[in-house]
Amino acid sequence: MAEIIQKDGTWTFDGDAVRIVPGRDKGVGLLRQTLGEVVVPLRALAGISHEPGRRSGRLRLKLREGADPLLQVTGGRLPEASDPYRLTVDADRTGVAEYFVDEVRNALLLDQVDAGPADAYLLPGPAVPISVAAGDGTVAFDGDRVALDWNWTTEEAKSSGGPREFRVADLRTVEWSPSKGLDNGWIRFTLAGAPAAPAPKYDPYTVELFGFKKDPLMALVAAAVAVRMPHPRDAASPAEAAPSLSPAPVPELAASAPEPTAPEDHDALLRRLRELGELHQGGILTAEEFAAAKQAILRRF
């Protein structure tokens, strides 16, 4: 098992999943504190990296596209303090961080994890019920129904119709956008068959966000709703859903080889070593990739 403990949080890898527990440091954003512990299964990962720095570095997990509803709705727009897949690493813990990276990469290689887009969510999303008050309203979600209520900052054109309530089954999309500069953010719910929505300020199915501390929490609401809607790949055209013909990433290089059996089966491990040797001789695996995979197998004996 690999583990790294920092003020920013604790990451643990047991060979099957990366367990992320947020720290209590002032740099840990409210979203990460509210989301709590996250367990990322190995099959949801596309990669991992360590970015060293003079005073501190960063560990970053890269998840497969479409594996996590939170990343799906935020589209890479979360501020760093709110990103659960980033860990600040003190300079004197660089060696531990690099060991952690090696362990995860070796597991991805040995388990031949497909780094391409996922066709279903592999993480469960934020827990429900969830309720967040931010901007000009409050959104509450119980796992089936979404309720919107307004406050004193809401435009009369929006609040005059009173609170809104609808079911996930009636939704076409849920979208989240952060505040940026002078532009307000929003969380928008679009019902199936609804006409084009007005500006967030006047839309009775949109909560406008003003750039305050609780704004990122609305991304958790959006993720909790999104994970209960059809996966984006379900709506993809056949051309979009077709497998990519571009060169496969490292974890897929041995995809044509037989599946390894249980780690305690020494005969299977010996067969796997021979297969890796053949892939290396055939030029499919580089010397570095072969050496890393070989060492990982030898540790299982």
Side-chain angles (χ1 to χ4, degrees):
M1 185 175 75
E3 183 177 62
I4 181 166
I5 303 173
Q6 296 289 274
K7 292 182 294 184
D8 209 20
T10 299
W11 287 16
T12 307
F13 178 60
D14 62 4
D16 295 317
V18 176
R19 188 177 300 273
I20 299 171
V21 179
R24 299 182 179 276
D25 187 66
K26 62 181 180 180
V28 178
L30 184 58
L31 182 147
R32 289 170 61 194
Q33 296 173 14
T34 305
L35 181 62
E37 181 179 299
V38 178
V39 178
V40 185
L42 187 65
R43 63 194 180 101
L45 289 177
I48 184 172
S49 64
H50 175 236
E51 305 162 1
R54 293 183 62 185
R55 294 187 178 180
S56 63
R58 288 184 179 84
L59 270 176
R60 292 186 186 273
L61 282 184
K62 181 181 179 182
L63 274 62
R64 296 171 59 190
E65 180 185 343
D68 178 24
L70 178 60
L71 294 185
Q72 186 69 35
V73 298
T74 56
R77 294 168 295 173
L78 279 176
E80 288 236 334
S82 298
D83 185 353
Y85 306 117
R86 176 197 62 83
L87 180 72
T88 300
V89 178
D90 293 338
D92 62 355
R93 306 299 288 170
T94 295
V96 178
E98 291 177 348
Y99 172 76
F100 194 97
V101 168
D102 287 343
E103 289 295 294
V104 175
R105 285 179 176 170
N106 288 340
L108 289 170
L109 179 64
L110 290 173
D111 286 20
Q112 303 173 25
V113 175
D114 181 357
D119 56 10
Y121 289 122
L122 303 179
L123 278 80
V128 293
I130 184 171
S131 178
V132 175
D136 68 353
T138 299
V139 183
F141 179 54
D142 64 5
D144 177 46
R145 293 183 178 275
V146 179
L148 307 182
D149 203 359
W150 314 113
N151 60 36
W152 66 273
T153 66
T154 311
E155 284 289 323
E156 185 177 355
K158 179 192 292 189
S159 62
S160 60
R164 302 283 172 162
E165 184 173 315
F166 44 89
R167 301 184 62 188
V168 172
D170 299 327
L171 283 174
R172 186 172 78 233
T173 62
V174 55
E175 303 168 275
W176 174 85
S177 182
S179 301
K180 187 176 182 181
L182 298 177
D183 296 328
N184 290 336
W186 37 261
I187 179 171
R188 171 181 284 143
F189 301 92
T190 304
L191 300 182
K201 187 174 184 177
Y202 306 106
D203 184 3
Y205 293 96
T206 298
V207 172
E208 189 176 30
L209 306 174
F210 305 142
F212 298 136
K213 183 179 179 180
K214 289 188 176 181
D215 281 12
L217 296 184
M218 283 297 186
L220 296 181
V221 177
V225 173
V227 77
R228 291 163 174 82
M229 296 175 63
H231 190 271
R233 296 281 288 181
D234 293 342
S237 67
E240 292 172 325
S244 171
L245 298 180
S246 58
V250 169
E252 295 180 296
L253 290 175
S256 61
E259 289 284 335
T261 55
E264 63 272 12
D265 186 340
H266 286 194
D267 289 339
L269 292 174
L270 289 171
R271 287 196 300 272
R272 184 66 180 139
L273 280 173
R274 287 195 293 270
E275 292 162 5
L276 288 171
E278 293 170 0
L279 291 168
H280 176 47
Q281 292 174 3
I284 296 176
L285 290 178
T286 66
E288 292 78 9
E289 292 164 353
F290 172 67
K294 178 181 175 182
Q295 288 301 316
I297 290 178
L298 291 176
R299 283 199 295 269
R300 295 192 182 190
F301 278 94

